[in-house]
Structures are given as structure tokens and as C-alpha cells.
Amino acid sequence: MHAWLISDSPASRLQASAGRAYRASGMLLRNPLAVAGALIIGLLIFTAIAAPWIAPESPVGQNLSNRLLPPSADHWMGTDELGRDIFSRVIYGSRITLMIVALVAVISAPLGLVIGAISGYFGGWTDRILMGLTDVFLSMPKLIMALAFVAALGPGIENAIIAIAITAWPAYARIARAETLTFRNAEFVSATRLLGASHSRIIVRHVLPLCTSSMIVRVTLDMAGIILTAAGLGFLGLGAQPPLPEWGAMISRGRVFILDQWWVATMPGLAIILVSLGFCFLGDGLRDVLDPKSAGKS
Amino acid sequence: MSFNPNVPHMRLARFARSLGGFAVITVLTFLGLMAITFFIGRVVPIDPVLAVVGDRATNEQYEAARVAMGLDRPLIMQFFSYVADVVQGDFGRSVSTGRPVAQDLVRVFPATLEMATIGIIIGVVLGVPMGVYAAAHAGSWADQVIRVLALLGYSVPAFWLGLVGLALFYAGLGWVGGPGRIDVFFDGLVEPVTGLLLVDSLLDRNMEVFRSALHRIILPATILGFFSLAYIARMTRSFMLDQLSQEYVTTARVKGLSETRVIWVHAFGPIRVPLITVIGLSYAGLLEGSVMIETVFSWPGIGNYLTTALFNADMNAVLGATLVIGAVFILINKISDVLYRVLDARSR
């Protein structure tokens, strides 16, 4: 199996890509921070799936006789002002966080990828206009722009996701364009064109796949920022609305109690830090493996 | 086009041309910024008139407001008059304060500027040496600690750190002052000259006010500084690593120069220019980061103004603040870009 995977002359496409993945994961496993990051993300996904079995109590509903209890054996993270178990809410909150990052990635990465690839592939005026637009968005402060968009769209988790996606795509467009430029005039592209392939087929089948590895790195590194922005919108009351157990919104509820019942605001924050740190670690490690040129830069 | 780049007047001409192109790009970026705020204000809300008159207005009132807002004209004409207004410093009137938004912004901006400036000073003074040390001892435990610290700067929510800081250092230890810019007791004691409370109180030689203001600014500014420290240390480390692997550094070492000299003179020298860009970027980033910090600390700056306006659905104020923060952000970006071109021998 090992020999088949690291073979220098793969017999099939499957063997080649399996071998590449095998080598990359081998390098990733030697990077302790990347392993830690992957474990944290794995934990997040597992928690989100298994939330009803892990959480000792329901994330909603009230139990006013138990309000604002400090952390104890019964309530690992204490309880909030409505007597809800904070640990259970943090566990369920992982579903919301995972949904936000997944949706933002699914919306903004392909959008940026397509815009960047079209821009780099066609060049000329198409390139100038698209990149001008990208640069304007890039030069705007992301959080402020997301805030303004949500202000206009109205608060809510869907609008928060849309607003974050709108601010996230330009970075991907830049990367996709830079990658596309490097092989726009490559021989395999000319050969495909000679075979009669259309522009859209060349972009979708031949250009985009080559951009994916640097995109994966970038998206992973951006995840921490996306989580922080989403939590920030939740904190300001513009993102997920109560009683949804969104971590940022939970911190916002605990703000009033911060001086006496510190756990209400502190605990959800620890979850945000852990998950963001996980994405940072994994992104750093992935970059060292997939994109060694830019290693160490942010 | 060929010319000798070493002839001074040619160099000047080329520089002027690149500056000209640069000005065009900057103006276009500002137009783009205005297009975005215009879009957010006029196109995204389902009915901007309803947002102004409220849903109890009669049809006549509604129609009058619509004409008064110029919404019966084509979108492109609306955009032009919007740009003309903004260029003249007219952002409309704030619904919640009743004053022109521009006046409000001038009043609140110094508070943000003061906090962000102290923040960036903390970030540079601590971040640069940390980055250099980490690079000089790459792989050591100190390097790992700095790396994790820097990554924490990307993973900790600013508002959470603010709350925890308040609980720990204000309520718990009593080392710093509470939320707000100054004790109510001292409020209005010092004549605002620059709007920067620390500077004004020094000008007034009022040390009590100065101490009170310092007591309150230190925590939010340090938290802001931590975020710029994280970014600056990380970038400094990576720049330094690039330099330290260069052959001239090896040459300097072979010549027997002390390690301190090699690091701080030979390796650090060339990275000063790119570092300016990094510092500029993180300064601009602090203006953005202050939105969250100001909300937590009830700091009467532009971020607090923005979030307060958000809750009151005061769209003129939201867009005005967005525009100003965006413009300052772009301006700092462009200035550090120009500085880079002027200072970096290779791009001259």
C-alpha cells in the first residue's frame, strides 16, 4: 500500500491523487500545531453532529430556580440568567458556528474563484474592471462593511452570513487571478484550446482545479476571522437572535453580569478562541505543506 | 521606453508620474467606497423612504419625503448628488442626535484616534522586538510562545478580551479605571483643544485629569495594542527570517561581527521599509478593531457612535461613520504605500 501510494509513476489518475494526498498528510502529521488544529476542527464537527448526546440539558427552555449558578460538577460552565446550562448551550452553539463558516466558505470561495479566474484568463478590460472592483472591496475594513450591510439588510443569522460572504470573496479573487495568470499561457491550456474546448470548459475543468490548493489554505486561514466577525455581529445583536445559542450572542447576554457572574460571558468566549485557534493552526500547517513559497507570511 | 534611472530629473519625472497614477487610483477607490455606502443606503433597504417617515405616514407625506430625498430621480443622478454632498462634508442629519452627522463625527473621532494611537505604540514597541527575537531564535521555546501568542491575536474576540479585562483588572484587581473615557467628576474640566484628552489635560497642566484619563485609557488601548502586536510580531519574524538566511548575513557573521550587530544592523536594516507598511496596515486595522472595544468600554469614539446608530436605525449616522472609517482606512493604506515607494531603494 505504502509503495503503491508513493510510486513515482502512478498508473492512474486515482493513484496519483491518492499518492499526493498521502504525502501531504504525512507532512501534515509531522507538524504538531497542524495536528492540534485538525483535532480541534474534528472535535468541532463531532460536537456539532453529536450535540444532543453530549449536552446534558436542552439549550433552550428555562429553569429559573437554577439561575446564575457558578461552574460546578453539575453545570461545568455554570448557568445563565434563565437557568440554562451554559455547557449545553456552548455544545449546541458549535452547530451554528459550523453552519456559519461552512456557508460563508461555500458562498464566497467559489464566487472569488470564478471572478479571479475569469479576470486572469481573459485579461484586458475584463481584468481591469473586475480587479478594480475587487481592490475597492479589499481596501474596505471588513467588519465595518459587514456591519453596514447587516444594518441595511436587518439583523439575523442569514443576513449576517450574506454580509460576511460579501466581505470575504475579494481575497479569493486575488489569489485565483494570480494563480490563473501563471498558467494562462501554459502549453496544456493552448493544447486544450486547440482541441476545441470552450472558454468556460477550460476555466472550469483546467484552470479552477489548479487554484484549489492555495484556496484551501487561504480559506482555512480566513476561518478564524470569519468566526470572529460572526461572533462580533452576534455580540452586537445583529447576528443570530436569541434564544439561539450562538457564542457571540451568549457573550453579549453575559455582559451585564461580567463583574459578578463572570462565567456567563467568559465560557462561550473560550469556545470561540479554541475553534479559531484550531483553524489558525491547521491553516498554518496546510500552508507549510501545500504552499511552501509563502510559508511564514500572513 | 528607455531612460537612465540614475539621472535625477528623470527619476523625479518617473516618481511624479507614478504619483499621478497613484492619485487616480486613490480617487477611484474613494469613489468605490462611496458607491458601496450609497448602495447600502439606497438600494439594499427595501424602502428607504419608509425607513425615514415610518409606517404611519400618509401617502402625501410619503410622496413628499420621496421627492425631498431625490428618490424619484434616476439612480445614477442620485449617486452623483450623493458624491457631491459627501465631498462637501454633508452626510445628512442624524436621527438620534438631531445634529449633522459630520459634526458628530468630528466630535467623536479624537477619542478613537487617541486610543488607537496608544494601541499602535504598544504594538510596535513590544511587537517588533518580539518578532526579531523569535526570528533570531527560530525553533526555540520562546519562538513557539511568540507564535502561539501571535495566533491568539487572530483568534481571540476583541469584545471578549475587553469584558474579561474589565472583570479582572477593574473589578477584580482595581488596577485600572472602569468604562468610559474619564471620571464623571472630571468631565468637562479641561478645555478641549485637540480633543485628545491626554494632550489637552497636559496643555492645561491639570495632572489629576491626566491621571484619570490615563487610568481609563490604559486597558482598552493595551487590548487594542495586543492585536497589533500579534500581527506586527508575526510579520517582523517572517521578514527577519528572510533576511537572516541571506548570504550577506553569513558574510557579516564570518567577519566576526557580534550577533547583536548582525541582527539589529545588517538584518533589521533592510526590513524597516516593509515594516512601515505593516505598521500602517495595523494602525488602520485598529480603527476597525476599536468598534468592538469602544462598545465594551462605552468609549465615546466613532465605533461607539456607529453601534449606537445601528441600534437606533439611524442610517445617515451609520453610513457617515462607515464612510469616515473606510476613508481613513484607505488613506492610511495609501500613505504607507507611498512611503514604501519613496523609502525603498529598489522600487525607486
Side-chain angles (χ1 to χ4, degrees), chain B:
Chain B
M1 178 165 180
S2 76
F3 55 86
N4 183 349
N6 294 321
V7 180
H9 73 269
M10 284 300 235
R11 223 164 68 186
L12 204 66
R14 199 165 76 119
F15 181 65
R17 204 171 42 236
S18 80
L19 214 60
F22 192 75
V24 171
I25 292 175
T26 310
V27 168
L28 282 179
T29 314
F30 278 121
L31 270 180
L33 170 64
M34 283 186 261
I36 293 176
T37 49
F38 173 77
F39 181 78
I40 294 175
R42 292 286 165 83
V43 186
V44 177
I46 298 158
D47 192 341
V49 183
L50 208 60
V52 170
V53 298
D55 45 10
R56 289 203 189 156
T58 62
N59 271 343
E60 288 77 41
Q61 284 172 327
Y62 180 91
E63 209 40 51
R66 201 171 106 89
V67 175
M69 288 169 76
L71 289 175
D72 49 340
R73 292 177 298 157
L75 212 53
I76 187 79
M77 295 308 293
Q78 289 183 38
F79 178 61
F80 281 137
S81 57
Y82 175 74
V83 171
D85 283 349
V86 167
V87 169
Q88 290 167 22
D90 179 7
F91 300 125
R93 202 166 270 277
S94 156
V95 184
S96 41
T97 65
R99 277 187 297 261
V101 171
Q103 242 178 52
D104 282 344
L105 289 175
V106 170
R107 191 170 43 84
V108 297
F109 195 71
T112 301
L113 186 69
E114 191 170 36
M115 189 164 77
T117 306
I118 296 188
I120 194 76
I121 291 173
I122 294 174
V124 172
V125 168
L126 295 178
V128 172
M130 278 168 74
V132 170
Y133 188 86
H137 302 86
S140 69
W141 66 267
D143 180 29
Q144 297 294 337
V145 169
I146 292 173
R147 184 174 186 177
V148 171
L149 205 64
L151 286 178
L152 269 178
Y154 290 82
S155 336
V156 178
F159 52 91
W160 181 84
L161 203 57
L163 284 175
V164 172
L166 271 179
L168 198 62
F169 295 108
Y170 166 62
L173 298 166
W175 288 356
V176 299
R181 209 174 169 202
I182 190 138
D183 269 322
V184 205
F185 187 62
F186 293 119
D187 202 15
L189 268 186
V190 177
E191 191 70 25
V193 183
T194 56
L196 309 171
L197 211 46
L198 292 176
V199 179
D200 284 348
S201 57
L202 278 185
L203 286 177
D204 204 43
R205 299 218 160 67
N206 195 333
M207 289 320 284
E208 274 185 68
V209 174
F210 179 78
R211 223 170 293 133
S212 166
L214 191 66
H215 216 52
R216 297 206 165 206
I217 202 173
I218 198 71
L219 184 60
T222 307
I223 290 173
L224 266 187
F226 168 67
F227 290 100
S228 66
L229 175 152
Y231 178 60
I232 291 173
R234 196 173 151 88
M235 296 307 282
T236 308
R237 177 182 182 274
S238 102
F239 290 153
M240 279 301 279
L241 280 181
D242 274 357
Q243 293 299 324
L244 288 172
S245 61
Q246 302 280 329
E247 282 178 0
Y248 74 88
V249 170
T250 318
T251 314
R253 281 201 178 116
V254 170
K255 274 173 26 192
L257 295 179
S258 73
E259 192 61 19
T260 321
R261 200 175 156 78
V262 169
I263 289 171
W264 284 103
V265 178
H266 289 83
F268 189 70
I271 74 163
R272 276 177 305 190
V273 177
L275 263 188
I276 289 177
T277 315
V278 167
I279 293 169
L281 278 176
S282 78
Y283 193 33
L286 285 193
L287 287 176
E288 184 184 27
S290 65
V291 171
M292 286 299 177
I293 292 288
E294 283 179 9
T295 311
V296 171
F297 284 88
S298 316
W299 194 261
I302 196 166
N304 206 356
Y305 181 73
L306 175 64
T307 46
T308 314
L310 278 174
F311 293 125
N312 298 329
D314 187 353
M315 227 30 211
N316 279 342
V318 170
L319 293 180
T322 307
L323 206 57
V324 167
I325 297 177
V328 173
F329 196 83
I330 292 171
L331 210 62
I332 295 180
N333 267 329
K334 298 289 177 192
I335 289 175
S336 53
D337 216 22
V338 169
L339 272 181
Y340 184 87
R341 284 177 204 214
V342 173
L343 295 176
D344 188 37
R346 277 165 307 180
S347 66
R348 220 176 268 156

Side-chain angles (χ1 to χ4, degrees), chain A residues 1-272:
Chain A
M1 188 68 183
H2 177 77
W4 181 78
L5 281 167
I6 61 161
S7 157
D8 276 336
S9 45
S12 69
R13 208 175 260 238
L14 178 77
Q15 188 183 355
S17 46
R20 208 163 44 231
Y22 177 74
R23 259 172 254 155
S25 51
M27 280 163 78
L28 211 55
L29 283 175
R30 276 196 291 278
N31 184 333
L33 279 186
V35 173
L39 285 177
I40 294 172
I41 309 306
L43 184 71
L44 172 75
I45 296 171
F46 173 76
T47 310
I49 294 172
W53 294 280
I54 300 175
E57 287 177 25
S58 149
V60 288
Q62 308 178 356
N63 183 358
L64 290 176
S65 58
N66 278 346
R67 65 192 290 270
L68 297 172
L69 293 178
S72 64
D74 281 344
H75 302 283
W76 292 356
M77 296 184 176
T79 60
D80 67 7
E81 79 281 9
L82 296 175
R84 296 172 296 199
D85 181 42
I86 295 177
F87 177 66
S88 305
R89 285 175 64 76
V90 167
I91 294 290
Y92 273 94
S94 65
R95 290 187 163 182
I96 299 174
T97 299
L98 198 63
M99 183 185 83
I100 292 173
V101 294
L103 281 178
V104 169
V106 164
I107 298 170
S108 62
L111 186 69
L113 202 58
V114 168
I115 290 177
I118 290 176
S119 188
Y121 180 79
F122 289 108
W125 276 106
T126 321
D127 185 32
R128 255 173 251 173
I129 291 170
L130 286 178
M131 279 305 115
L133 192 71
T134 308
D135 281 345
V136 168
F137 272 89
L138 262 185
S139 59
M140 288 282 296
K142 280 186 182 176
L143 176 68
I144 308 289
M145 210 163 52
L147 278 179
F149 266 105
V150 181
L153 289 168
I157 194 163
E158 300 86 2
N159 290 343
I161 290 170
I162 293 171
I164 298 172
I166 287 174
T167 60
W169 67 268
Y172 309 135
R174 272 264 159 225
I175 294 172
R177 174 178 178 270
E179 293 270 320
T180 308
L181 281 183
T182 58
F183 39 70
R184 177 172 65 164
N185 297 321
E187 283 174 4
F188 73 91
V189 172
S190 317
T192 320
R193 197 173 304 153
L194 279 178
L195 282 171
S198 66
H199 288 313
S200 55
R201 187 182 165 86
I202 295 176
I203 290 178
V204 172
R205 296 294 300 270
H206 300 274
V207 173
L208 291 185
L210 287 168
C211 302
T212 42
S213 71
S214 48
M215 288 294 287
I216 290 174
V217 172
R218 184 64 204 221
V219 170
T220 315
L221 282 172
D222 278 357
M223 282 302 172
I226 291 170
I227 292 173
L228 292 191
T229 311
L233 290 175
F235 178 73
L236 292 175
L238 297 170
Q241 299 296 310
L244 275 184
E246 196 270 328
W247 296 339
M250 289 169 69
I251 296 177
S252 167
R253 297 294 291 257
R255 197 180 154 187
V256 205
F257 312 109
I258 185 69
L259 300 184
D260 299 314
Q261 287 89 17
W262 53 270
W263 56 89
V264 184
T266 311
M267 294 304 181
L270 295 178
I272 297 177

